[in-house]
Amino acid sequence: MAKEECIAQWNKTGDTSTLRNRRLFPTSEKTPSITLSKDKHSQTTGHLSEDDTQSSNGTSAQLPAREDVRRDPPSRVLLMLVVGLSFSTRLYKITEPPHVCWDETHFGKMGSYYINRTFFFDVHPPLGKMLIGLAGYMTGYDGTFPFIKPGDKYEHHNYWGMRGFCAMLGSCLPVFAYLIVLELSQSHTAALITATLLIFDTGCITISQYILLDPILMFFIMAAVLSMVNFNQQRYRPFTASWWLWLVLTGVNLAGALGVKFVGLFVILLVGLNTVWDLWRLLGDLSLSLVDITKHFLARVVGLILLPVFLYVTIFAIHFVVLNKSGPGDGFFSSAFQSRLIGNNLHNASMPEYLAYGSTITVKNLRIAGGYLHSHWHLYPEGVGAKQQQVTAYLHKDYNNLWLVHRQDENGSQSGTSDLVRHGDIIRLEHKETTRNLHAHLHEAPLTKKHYQVTGYGINGTGDTNDLWQVEVCGGRKGDLVKVLRSKVRFLHRATGCVLYSSGKTLPKWGWEQVEVTCSPYLKETPSSQWNIEDHINPKLPNISLSVLKPHFLEILLESHIVMIRGNSGLKPKDNEMNSKPWHWPINYQGLRFSGVNDTEYRVYLLGNPVIWWMNLASLGVYPIMVAVAAIALQRGFSLGQKRIGVINSEHSRVLMREGGLLLLGWLLHYAPFYTMGRVLYYHHYFPAMLFSSMLTGITFDILLKSTDLLLRPPYCDWLQRLGQMVLLLSVLYSFYLFHPLSYGMTGPLAHEPGSSMAGLKWMDSWEF
């Protein structure tokens, strides 16, 4: 083919300025170099590929922009159809069932806490709960419903606003996916396949219809990916208004994703890898000066690092300002943190400054989320050390946290009670409720086997020499007084030489899932072996104000993150609790019961549409094969197809490998890390990865169907392509018709019982509907 034909083709666009720098694809004499395929939605005229050497610092006036298929009339009609179907399937029956379902008991309650400004603790960042609370407040919910347990009736309480808010954000997911795939592939067919998979997936519908963090998280994840993709398309118009807009929106949505759950780190990593690749490409553009490259680098630092960090910190600043009243989360935090909460006993409090004998105290471990020294009437079970009274660390304020301080001499006899406690003194701590003494002996601890067991022993002040502890003020000298709240104190066991210790490990159900307390033979000073006196009651001593304890913002920000991370890692599977493994998720092995367990209750079951999920699984297997074939064909210069021309096939291969590879990377980043996590995992954790899998399926199946000309000649290949698209569409629609009661509610017999409306649909024994 002559170069003049290519010049003539570019003349039709009115721009020939890029020809000198453009590489031409090798083509035969019989075909033009750039032609439109029969599918006008696959047009690539005027599109600059990655192989172009034109400067990335140009402007839209200098370069022909990639044709935007979203502006075509068919695209607008399809987009409106996607929007309509997505919102209607999510908002349908949004108020049913009219009772608490699954984790609504947590996140609905947390929304109420924001409305009431009551402080609480959660293992996730606050943005999602803040938005739920705001949605409830704006729609008339007064924050008075207790959200005690699943199944509780909402009655007159206005809950639809919180559900509706989550459903609205969940409705945006198919729309975002449609736009992302359309932008990546420039194919309406691929985008429509993707949207269809997500619109009619029963799992995506169910998880979007309730007061949960998942639809909010996925909204920000998909919004971040859409912004990133649109920013990538602005690469030939740097520093224009649209370039800055998509860069800033990417940063905003990254902050939003991380502000809802730490899972948002995965999409941050995806955007980060894409940005590194983009900067590497710019570094190889010899038409750019080092000043230009520095500008690009700094712009990304501002838009993708500094802006998200600022917004993320702002979220926590709002969180701390709103939640200024004492609540159920106080005990997870340090005494200094609690002193800023209105209603907490430490807020603007006064108490005796120095610890004294005869005082009633609470003792808090300095390890973050280490808990209060606690005991109760329950005994250690048979086979767990001595069968004596349990001593634990408890994260909440409780009457069983109170201890009485008694002075003892070396022989164990009680002495006078009017003196102050000093560094080096021997004391006995008596549990106020049960009157048993804090006790340790050489039996091994329940979980930390190299440590010794700590128990409650004796009664009414009687015991033995294993009840004696020596007070040690960290950094102090003999005779130094113990300051309430401010002194770091260790308790050395006189008989064994070990030190009182909070391991941070959660006891089984026999220990009420409280934190293990041990006596450690390792005497190195660590926060786990250090304690402070928090509550101090002694009417014989004068009080002082504790207002000096209030911490700075950065201190409470750091402490809250340490508490969240430790809380997350402490979420271990409980006995007989429903959880799942990562390999279960892609095969749709087992769902989650949202509501109802028998034939008389309104049942909702979180399970993906099996046809869609198994189609996604198949595409994950087919995709690598297609990439391998396309890569070999391109490397060898083969022509893929009978009437398709080289440039179009190259475009399909580029979309498959580059854009499909981006989606595959997104799927891996949102799925593979769960194999390394020790925390309890549930089926719903897979849904962010499922979004990427569905987008990859749209691109894979679209290109696979367009490759029918490898088997048949026109028009038969076109007929086969249309037939494949119709079979795919009808399969999805019919499976949705069969399984839609999983999302919208079922009553009557269970699937395995006679007369059930779901009879015959329990395709896997592990399904429980």
Side-chain angles (χ1 to χ4, degrees), residues 30-58:
K30 295 181 180 180
T31 58
S33 65
I34 299 178
T35 311
L36 300 182
S37 73
K38 289 186 178 181
D39 183 358
K40 68 178 181 178
H41 307 311
S42 300
Q43 293 178 15
T44 57
T45 303
H47 169 57
L48 293 177
S49 74
E50 286 293 330
D51 293 328
D52 296 331
T53 57
Q54 173 65 35
S55 169
S56 299
N57 199 36

PDB file of all heavy atoms in Angstrom, residues 30-58:
ATOM      1  N   LYS A  30      -3.798  -5.227  -1.237  1.00  0.00           N
ATOM      2  CA  LYS A  30      -5.202  -5.382  -1.587  1.00  0.00           C
ATOM      3  C   LYS A  30      -6.134  -4.694  -0.590  1.00  0.00           C
ATOM      4  O   LYS A  30      -7.316  -4.576  -0.845  1.00  0.00           O
ATOM      5  CB  LYS A  30      -5.568  -6.881  -1.622  1.00  0.00           C
ATOM      6  CG  LYS A  30      -4.818  -7.629  -2.726  1.00  0.00           C
ATOM      7  CD  LYS A  30      -5.228  -9.078  -2.748  1.00  0.00           C
ATOM      8  CE  LYS A  30      -4.506  -9.854  -3.836  1.00  0.00           C
ATOM      9  NZ  LYS A  30      -4.885 -11.275  -3.884  1.00  0.00           N
ATOM     10  N   THR A  31      -5.614  -4.279   0.555  1.00  0.00           N
ATOM     11  CA  THR A  31      -6.479  -3.688   1.561  1.00  0.00           C
ATOM     12  C   THR A  31      -5.957  -2.338   1.993  1.00  0.00           C
ATOM     13  O   THR A  31      -4.759  -2.131   2.093  1.00  0.00           O
ATOM     14  CB  THR A  31      -6.565  -4.594   2.803  1.00  0.00           C
ATOM     15  OG1 THR A  31      -5.254  -4.789   3.304  1.00  0.00           O
ATOM     16  CG2 THR A  31      -7.190  -5.928   2.474  1.00  0.00           C
ATOM     17  N   PRO A  32      -6.833  -1.412   2.267  1.00  0.00           N
ATOM     18  CA  PRO A  32      -6.395  -0.118   2.775  1.00  0.00           C
ATOM     19  C   PRO A  32      -5.885  -0.269   4.193  1.00  0.00           C
ATOM     20  O   PRO A  32      -6.257  -1.165   4.913  1.00  0.00           O
ATOM     21  CB  PRO A  32      -7.681   0.737   2.754  1.00  0.00           C
ATOM     22  CG  PRO A  32      -8.787  -0.254   2.843  1.00  0.00           C
ATOM     23  CD  PRO A  32      -8.311  -1.478   2.134  1.00  0.00           C
ATOM     24  N   SER A  33      -5.019   0.690   4.598  1.00  0.00           N
ATOM     25  CA  SER A  33      -4.384   0.564   5.917  1.00  0.00           C
ATOM     26  C   SER A  33      -5.321   0.883   7.054  1.00  0.00           C
ATOM     27  O   SER A  33      -5.195   0.351   8.130  1.00  0.00           O
ATOM     28  CB  SER A  33      -3.167   1.489   5.998  1.00  0.00           C
ATOM     29  OG  SER A  33      -3.592   2.827   5.917  1.00  0.00           O
ATOM     30  N   ILE A  34      -6.283   1.758   6.851  1.00  0.00           N
ATOM     31  CA  ILE A  34      -7.190   2.124   7.933  1.00  0.00           C
ATOM     32  C   ILE A  34      -8.604   2.121   7.365  1.00  0.00           C
ATOM     33  O   ILE A  34      -8.944   2.930   6.508  1.00  0.00           O
ATOM     34  CB  ILE A  34      -6.871   3.520   8.491  1.00  0.00           C
ATOM     35  CG1 ILE A  34      -5.457   3.538   9.060  1.00  0.00           C
ATOM     36  CG2 ILE A  34      -7.882   3.908   9.558  1.00  0.00           C
ATOM     37  CD1 ILE A  34      -5.044   4.868   9.594  1.00  0.00           C
ATOM     38  N   THR A  35      -9.402   1.193   7.830  1.00  0.00           N
ATOM     39  CA  THR A  35     -10.751   1.028   7.324  1.00  0.00           C
ATOM     40  C   THR A  35     -11.686   0.758   8.471  1.00  0.00           C
ATOM     41  O   THR A  35     -11.286   0.226   9.492  1.00  0.00           O
ATOM     42  CB  THR A  35     -10.821  -0.162   6.325  1.00  0.00           C
ATOM     43  OG1 THR A  35      -9.766  -0.019   5.398  1.00  0.00           O
ATOM     44  CG2 THR A  35     -12.152  -0.192   5.599  1.00  0.00           C
ATOM     45  N   LEU A  36     -12.950   1.065   8.274  1.00  0.00           N
ATOM     46  CA  LEU A  36     -13.937   0.819   9.306  1.00  0.00           C
ATOM     47  C   LEU A  36     -14.437  -0.601   9.196  1.00  0.00           C
ATOM     48  O   LEU A  36     -14.725  -1.090   8.114  1.00  0.00           O
ATOM     49  CB  LEU A  36     -15.113   1.790   9.170  1.00  0.00           C
ATOM     50  CG  LEU A  36     -14.765   3.272   9.269  1.00  0.00           C
ATOM     51  CD1 LEU A  36     -16.036   4.079   9.152  1.00  0.00           C
ATOM     52  CD2 LEU A  36     -14.033   3.564  10.535  1.00  0.00           C
ATOM     53  N   SER A  37     -14.571  -1.272  10.348  1.00  0.00           N
ATOM     54  CA  SER A  37     -15.155  -2.607  10.348  1.00  0.00           C
ATOM     55  C   SER A  37     -16.653  -2.479  10.173  1.00  0.00           C
ATOM     56  O   SER A  37     -17.235  -1.403  10.222  1.00  0.00           O
ATOM     57  CB  SER A  37     -14.845  -3.315  11.663  1.00  0.00           C
ATOM     58  OG  SER A  37     -15.607  -2.755  12.692  1.00  0.00           O
ATOM     59  N   LYS A  38     -17.319  -3.640   9.980  1.00  0.00           N
ATOM     60  CA  LYS A  38     -18.763  -3.611   9.797  1.00  0.00           C
ATOM     61  C   LYS A  38     -19.472  -3.097  11.044  1.00  0.00           C
ATOM     62  O   LYS A  38     -20.547  -2.554  10.970  1.00  0.00           O
ATOM     63  CB  LYS A  38     -19.273  -5.023   9.454  1.00  0.00           C
ATOM     64  CG  LYS A  38     -18.863  -5.457   8.048  1.00  0.00           C
ATOM     65  CD  LYS A  38     -19.500  -6.782   7.691  1.00  0.00           C
ATOM     66  CE  LYS A  38     -19.148  -7.198   6.277  1.00  0.00           C
ATOM     67  NZ  LYS A  38     -19.771  -8.461   5.876  1.00  0.00           N
ATOM     68  N   ASP A  39     -18.860  -3.338  12.194  1.00  0.00           N
ATOM     69  CA  ASP A  39     -19.426  -2.805  13.434  1.00  0.00           C
ATOM     70  C   ASP A  39     -18.918  -1.389  13.611  1.00  0.00           C
ATOM     71  O   ASP A  39     -17.800  -1.151  13.977  1.00  0.00           O
ATOM     72  CB  ASP A  39     -18.997  -3.670  14.622  1.00  0.00           C
ATOM     73  CG  ASP A  39     -19.632  -3.187  15.912  1.00  0.00           C
ATOM     74  OD1 ASP A  39     -20.360  -2.182  15.863  1.00  0.00           O
ATOM     75  OD2 ASP A  39     -19.380  -3.826  16.956  1.00  0.00           O
ATOM     76  N   LYS A  40     -19.798  -0.433  13.322  1.00  0.00           N
ATOM     77  CA  LYS A  40     -19.342   0.959  13.378  1.00  0.00           C
ATOM     78  C   LYS A  40     -18.934   1.357  14.781  1.00  0.00           C
ATOM     79  O   LYS A  40     -18.253   2.347  14.986  1.00  0.00           O
ATOM     80  CB  LYS A  40     -20.440   1.897  12.887  1.00  0.00           C
ATOM     81  CG  LYS A  40     -21.666   1.977  13.805  1.00  0.00           C
ATOM     82  CD  LYS A  40     -22.658   2.965  13.257  1.00  0.00           C
ATOM     83  CE  LYS A  40     -23.883   3.073  14.158  1.00  0.00           C
ATOM     84  NZ  LYS A  40     -24.826   4.058  13.663  1.00  0.00           N
ATOM     85  N   HIS A  41     -19.317   0.553  15.769  1.00  0.00           N
ATOM     86  CA  HIS A  41     -18.934   0.865  17.144  1.00  0.00           C
ATOM     87  C   HIS A  41     -17.514   0.452  17.432  1.00  0.00           C
ATOM     88  O   HIS A  41     -17.025   0.671  18.522  1.00  0.00           O
ATOM     89  CB  HIS A  41     -19.899   0.172  18.101  1.00  0.00           C
ATOM     90  CG  HIS A  41     -21.322   0.483  17.800  1.00  0.00           C
ATOM     91  ND1 HIS A  41     -21.788   1.761  17.608  1.00  0.00           N
ATOM     92  CD2 HIS A  41     -22.393  -0.340  17.635  1.00  0.00           C
ATOM     93  CE1 HIS A  41     -23.080   1.723  17.350  1.00  0.00           C
ATOM     94  NE2 HIS A  41     -23.460   0.458  17.350  1.00  0.00           N
ATOM     95  N   SER A  42     -16.843  -0.191  16.499  1.00  0.00           N
ATOM     96  CA  SER A  42     -15.442  -0.572  16.687  1.00  0.00           C
ATOM     97  C   SER A  42     -14.520   0.360  15.944  1.00  0.00           C
ATOM     98  O   SER A  42     -13.382   0.048  15.676  1.00  0.00           O
ATOM     99  CB  SER A  42     -15.227  -2.019  16.212  1.00  0.00           C
ATOM    100  OG  SER A  42     -16.018  -2.905  16.934  1.00  0.00           O
ATOM    101  N   GLN A  43     -15.007   1.539  15.568  1.00  0.00           N
ATOM    102  CA  GLN A  43     -14.206   2.477  14.805  1.00  0.00           C
ATOM    103  C   GLN A  43     -12.954   2.863  15.565  1.00  0.00           C
ATOM    104  O   GLN A  43     -12.985   3.118  16.747  1.00  0.00           O
ATOM    105  CB  GLN A  43     -15.019   3.742  14.519  1.00  0.00           C
ATOM    106  CG  GLN A  43     -16.200   3.472  13.580  1.00  0.00           C
ATOM    107  CD  GLN A  43     -17.007   4.730  13.366  1.00  0.00           C
ATOM    108  OE1 GLN A  43     -16.524   5.794  13.684  1.00  0.00           O
ATOM    109  NE2 GLN A  43     -18.183   4.604  12.811  1.00  0.00           N
ATOM    110  N   THR A  44     -11.861   2.947  14.810  1.00  0.00           N
ATOM    111  CA  THR A  44     -10.598   3.367  15.421  1.00  0.00           C
ATOM    112  C   THR A  44      -9.951   4.484  14.634  1.00  0.00           C
ATOM    113  O   THR A  44      -8.802   4.806  14.850  1.00  0.00           O
ATOM    114  CB  THR A  44      -9.638   2.168  15.487  1.00  0.00           C
ATOM    115  OG1 THR A  44      -9.449   1.658  14.178  1.00  0.00           O
ATOM    116  CG2 THR A  44     -10.185   1.076  16.383  1.00  0.00           C
ATOM    117  N   THR A  45     -10.685   5.068  13.691  1.00  0.00           N
ATOM    118  CA  THR A  45     -10.112   6.127  12.893  1.00  0.00           C
ATOM    119  C   THR A  45      -9.634   7.267  13.773  1.00  0.00           C
ATOM    120  O   THR A  45     -10.340   7.749  14.632  1.00  0.00           O
ATOM    121  CB  THR A  45     -11.175   6.673  11.905  1.00  0.00           C
ATOM    122  OG1 THR A  45     -11.639   5.583  11.126  1.00  0.00           O
ATOM    123  CG2 THR A  45     -10.599   7.734  11.018  1.00  0.00           C
ATOM    124  N   GLY A  46      -8.421   7.707  13.504  1.00  0.00           N
ATOM    125  CA  GLY A  46      -7.888   8.846  14.240  1.00  0.00           C
ATOM    126  C   GLY A  46      -7.405   8.517  15.624  1.00  0.00           C
ATOM    127  O   GLY A  46      -6.995   9.388  16.341  1.00  0.00           O
ATOM    128  N   HIS A  47      -7.428   7.239  16.018  1.00  0.00           N
ATOM    129  CA  HIS A  47      -6.979   6.881  17.371  1.00  0.00           C
ATOM    130  C   HIS A  47      -5.472   6.692  17.394  1.00  0.00           C
ATOM    131  O   HIS A  47      -4.912   5.962  16.606  1.00  0.00           O
ATOM    132  CB  HIS A  47      -7.672   5.586  17.821  1.00  0.00           C
ATOM    133  CG  HIS A  47      -7.069   5.021  19.056  1.00  0.00           C
ATOM    134  ND1 HIS A  47      -6.982   5.738  20.221  1.00  0.00           N
ATOM    135  CD2 HIS A  47      -6.512   3.820  19.298  1.00  0.00           C
ATOM    136  CE1 HIS A  47      -6.410   5.005  21.135  1.00  0.00           C
ATOM    137  NE2 HIS A  47      -6.101   3.817  20.589  1.00  0.00           N
ATOM    138  N   LEU A  48      -4.817   7.341  18.304  1.00  0.00           N
ATOM    139  CA  LEU A  48      -3.375   7.199  18.459  1.00  0.00           C
ATOM    140  C   LEU A  48      -3.095   6.089  19.435  1.00  0.00           C
ATOM    141  O   LEU A  48      -3.509   6.150  20.581  1.00  0.00           O
ATOM    142  CB  LEU A  48      -2.777   8.514  18.983  1.00  0.00           C
ATOM    143  CG  LEU A  48      -2.867   9.676  18.001  1.00  0.00           C
ATOM    144  CD1 LEU A  48      -2.323  10.919  18.671  1.00  0.00           C
ATOM    145  CD2 LEU A  48      -2.119   9.382  16.728  1.00  0.00           C
ATOM    146  N   SER A  49      -2.402   5.066  19.009  1.00  0.00           N
ATOM    147  CA  SER A  49      -2.081   3.941  19.876  1.00  0.00           C
ATOM    148  C   SER A  49      -0.861   4.255  20.708  1.00  0.00           C
ATOM    149  O   SER A  49      -0.208   5.273  20.548  1.00  0.00           O
ATOM    150  CB  SER A  49      -1.821   2.683  19.043  1.00  0.00           C
ATOM    151  OG  SER A  49      -0.556   2.785  18.418  1.00  0.00           O
ATOM    152  N   GLU A  50      -0.536   3.287  21.581  1.00  0.00           N
ATOM    153  CA  GLU A  50       0.643   3.450  22.424  1.00  0.00           C
ATOM    154  C   GLU A  50       1.920   3.469  21.596  1.00  0.00           C
ATOM    155  O   GLU A  50       2.955   3.915  22.054  1.00  0.00           O
ATOM    156  CB  GLU A  50       0.717   2.290  23.441  1.00  0.00           C
ATOM    157  CG  GLU A  50      -0.287   2.407  24.562  1.00  0.00           C
ATOM    158  CD  GLU A  50       0.017   3.580  25.459  1.00  0.00           C
ATOM    159  OE1 GLU A  50       1.189   3.945  25.591  1.00  0.00           O
ATOM    160  OE2 GLU A  50      -0.920   4.137  26.010  1.00  0.00           O
ATOM    161  N   ASP A  51       1.822   2.932  20.382  1.00  0.00           N
ATOM    162  CA  ASP A  51       3.008   2.890  19.550  1.00  0.00           C
ATOM    163  C   ASP A  51       3.323   4.238  18.927  1.00  0.00           C
ATOM    164  O   ASP A  51       4.370   4.435  18.329  1.00  0.00           O
ATOM    165  CB  ASP A  51       2.840   1.852  18.424  1.00  0.00           C
ATOM    166  CG  ASP A  51       2.788   0.440  18.978  1.00  0.00           C
ATOM    167  OD1 ASP A  51       3.451   0.219  20.009  1.00  0.00           O
ATOM    168  OD2 ASP A  51       2.107  -0.410  18.403  1.00  0.00           O
ATOM    169  N   ASP A  52       2.376   5.159  19.010  1.00  0.00           N
ATOM    170  CA  ASP A  52       2.616   6.471  18.438  1.00  0.00           C
ATOM    171  C   ASP A  52       3.748   7.153  19.183  1.00  0.00           C
ATOM    172  O   ASP A  52       3.870   7.079  20.388  1.00  0.00           O
ATOM    173  CB  ASP A  52       1.361   7.351  18.538  1.00  0.00           C
ATOM    174  CG  ASP A  52       0.229   6.785  17.713  1.00  0.00           C
ATOM    175  OD1 ASP A  52       0.535   6.127  16.698  1.00  0.00           O
ATOM    176  OD2 ASP A  52      -0.934   6.979  18.089  1.00  0.00           O
ATOM    177  N   THR A  53       4.544   7.882  18.435  1.00  0.00           N
ATOM    178  CA  THR A  53       5.657   8.596  19.051  1.00  0.00           C
ATOM    179  C   THR A  53       5.390  10.084  19.162  1.00  0.00           C
ATOM    180  O   THR A  53       6.249  10.848  19.547  1.00  0.00           O
ATOM    181  CB  THR A  53       6.943   8.383  18.220  1.00  0.00           C
ATOM    182  OG1 THR A  53       6.706   8.809  16.881  1.00  0.00           O
ATOM    183  CG2 THR A  53       7.350   6.923  18.227  1.00  0.00           C
ATOM    184  N   GLN A  54       4.174  10.472  18.831  1.00  0.00           N
ATOM    185  CA  GLN A  54       3.807  11.876  18.983  1.00  0.00           C
ATOM    186  C   GLN A  54       3.938  12.297  20.439  1.00  0.00           C
ATOM    187  O   GLN A  54       3.641  11.556  21.357  1.00  0.00           O
ATOM    188  CB  GLN A  54       2.357  12.082  18.515  1.00  0.00           C
ATOM    189  CG  GLN A  54       1.804  13.478  18.783  1.00  0.00           C
ATOM    190  CD  GLN A  54       2.529  14.525  17.986  1.00  0.00           C
ATOM    191  OE1 GLN A  54       2.927  14.264  16.863  1.00  0.00           O
ATOM    192  NE2 GLN A  54       2.709  15.696  18.542  1.00  0.00           N
ATOM    193  N   SER A  55       4.387  13.498  20.647  1.00  0.00           N
ATOM    194  CA  SER A  55       4.600  14.005  22.003  1.00  0.00           C
ATOM    195  C   SER A  55       3.333  13.940  22.828  1.00  0.00           C
ATOM    196  O   SER A  55       2.263  14.302  22.382  1.00  0.00           O
ATOM    197  CB  SER A  55       5.088  15.460  21.939  1.00  0.00           C
ATOM    198  OG  SER A  55       5.057  16.020  23.224  1.00  0.00           O
ATOM    199  N   SER A  56       3.489  13.471  24.074  1.00  0.00           N
ATOM    200  CA  SER A  56       2.367  13.428  25.006  1.00  0.00           C
ATOM    201  C   SER A  56       2.102  14.792  25.612  1.00  0.00           C
ATOM    202  O   SER A  56       1.227  14.933  26.436  1.00  0.00           O
ATOM    203  CB  SER A  56       2.652  12.407  26.113  1.00  0.00           C
ATOM    204  OG  SER A  56       2.818  11.138  25.560  1.00  0.00           O
ATOM    205  N   ASN A  57       2.867  15.768  25.211  1.00  0.00           N
ATOM    206  CA  ASN A  57       2.684  17.099  25.768  1.00  0.00           C
ATOM    207  C   ASN A  57       1.916  17.991  24.805  1.00  0.00           C
ATOM    208  O   ASN A  57       1.847  19.182  24.975  1.00  0.00           O
ATOM    209  CB  ASN A  57       4.050  17.722  26.096  1.00  0.00           C
ATOM    210  CG  ASN A  57       3.917  18.867  27.062  1.00  0.00           C
ATOM    211  OD1 ASN A  57       3.079  18.820  27.946  1.00  0.00           O
ATOM    212  ND2 ASN A  57       4.736  19.879  26.896  1.00  0.00           N
ATOM    213  N   GLY A  58       1.303  17.362  23.782  1.00  0.00           N
ATOM    214  CA  GLY A  58       0.562  18.146  22.817  1.00  0.00           C
ATOM    215  C   GLY A  58      -0.773  18.580  23.353  1.00  0.00           C
ATOM    216  O   GLY A  58      -1.120  18.376  24.487  1.00  0.00           O
TER     217      GLY A  58
END
